[in-house]
Amino acid sequence: MTDKKPKNVFKEGPISSEFIGNSIYKHQTKTSIGAHNIFLGQVRADVIDNKTVAAIEYTAYEDMANQKFHEIREAAFEKFELTCMHIYHSLGMVKAGEICLFVFVSSPRRKVVFEALEYVVEAIKADVPVFGKEIFEDETHQWKVNS
Amino acid sequence: MTLTIKYFGVIAEITQCHEEVLEFTKSSIDDLLSLLFDKYPKIKTKDFQVAMHNEIVSRDAVVSTHEIALLPPFAGG
């Protein structure tokens, strides 16, 4: 069930709830699945030195990032009994409260999807060259670092 | 050889470009970074990793491809 070639994981702008809902809908025909698990990364309006984050502008080293997403995907299929997996990450501006990362894993059984989802999300945070410019309400900015 | 150097995030802010082409006659990533530090001294104070062939490499690695990327800390998700 794995793809051989890296796919493009990136989408311009925020990931809409319609898109997410539609992804769930599309899986209703895959009736070997008994459990889905979904992670949604949302841009947080952090307050730093009395300034509030209004949006994050995402950029990436896209070639390497898509390669890394592909490797994470392959490793996850190897480690866990998954029926399918989808990853989408935003590029460009995503406002506070909007979704910037959508990870969707599916399996016949529930225990697998909890472990698999955590594995995939942590690997994305650690290994994928995506950069985030946190833009404050007063239009100044700082560069985000994953903790 | 001719290299394309790619810059991202805070590094690109310092270099004021996202990529540049330059002639490189030496051997290691360290040699390349010395050149870049001369040109952009502020890079030296920043935390970043170097990627070659879509993999993070150490600074004593030998330059073996035409595209090198300077990657500041990741912030995906």
Side-chain angles (χ1 to χ4, degrees):
Chain A
M1 281 304 234
T2 61
D3 299 316
K4 290 286 165 256
K5 249 184 83 196
K7 299 202 271 197
N8 182 20
V9 163
F10 293 107
K11 288 180 73 69
E12 193 60 37
I15 298 161
S16 71
S17 47
E18 289 77 14
F19 181 84
I20 296 161
N22 196 39
S23 295
I24 298 167
Y25 172 72
K26 282 187 196 156
H27 287 75
Q28 291 180 349
T29 55
K30 298 189 178 181
T31 49
S32 67
I33 295 171
H36 298 299
N37 200 4
I38 287 174
F39 177 85
L40 300 174
Q42 173 167 301
V43 172
R44 196 174 48 229
D46 272 345
V47 179
I48 301 157
D49 297 333
N50 294 321
K51 296 192 293 186
T52 305
V53 172
I56 296 180
E57 185 181 22
Y58 287 103
T59 51
Y61 184 18
E62 288 185 53
D63 267 7
M64 177 173 165
N66 279 315
Q67 177 64 37
K68 290 290 162 195
F69 279 123
H70 179 69
E71 287 169 17
I72 291 166
R73 206 184 139 74
E74 296 283 298
F77 273 106
E78 195 132 308
K79 274 173 108 75
F80 306 101
E81 192 203 342
L82 294 175
T83 311
C84 57
M85 172 185 343
H86 303 273
I87 307 174
Y88 300 94
H89 198 296
S90 295
L91 283 183
M93 283 290 197
V94 183
K95 291 186 206 137
E98 292 181 327
I99 301 299
C100 56
L101 172 63
F102 171 29
V103 182
F104 187 177
V105 295
S106 309
S107 168
R109 310 234 160 242
R110 75 182 178 285
K111 284 193 178 160
V112 173
V113 294
F114 293 118
E115 280 182 55
L117 187 68
E118 183 173 17
Y119 171 83
V120 171
V121 172
E122 292 305 318
I124 290 170
K125 297 248 176 198
D127 300 338
V128 181
V130 171
F131 314 100
K133 187 180 187 177
E134 291 178 311
I135 299 166
F136 297 106
E137 285 166 345
D138 66 0
E139 291 179 11
T140 58
H141 72 267
Q142 73 166 24
W143 291 93
K144 181 178 175 248
V145 177
N146 276 347
S147 50
Chain B
M1 66 175 168
T2 307
L3 298 181
T4 302
I5 318 292
K6 293 195 166 243
Y7 305 115
F8 295 90
V10 70
I11 304 289
E13 260 179 9
I14 294 169
T15 60
Q16 297 194 322
C17 63
H18 289 281
E19 63 174 68
E20 69 179 319
V21 174
L22 52 85
E23 274 307 312
F24 182 62
T25 52
K26 292 189 176 163
S27 134
S28 71
I29 295 290
D30 245 336
D31 298 330
L32 175 64
L33 291 180
S34 308
L35 274 178
L36 296 177
F37 291 160
D38 283 346
K39 195 166 176 187
Y40 310 106
K42 277 190 187 162
I43 296 181
K44 213 172 176 170
T45 65
K46 298 293 175 190
D47 179 19
F48 68 90
Q49 303 183 89
V50 179
M52 192 160 66
H53 299 293
N54 288 346
E55 293 293 337
I56 303 296
V57 292
S58 73
R59 298 197 175 185
D60 53 14
V62 172
V63 174
S64 61
T65 181
H66 294 281
E67 184 172 301
I68 307 279
L70 269 56
L71 307 174
F74 301 166

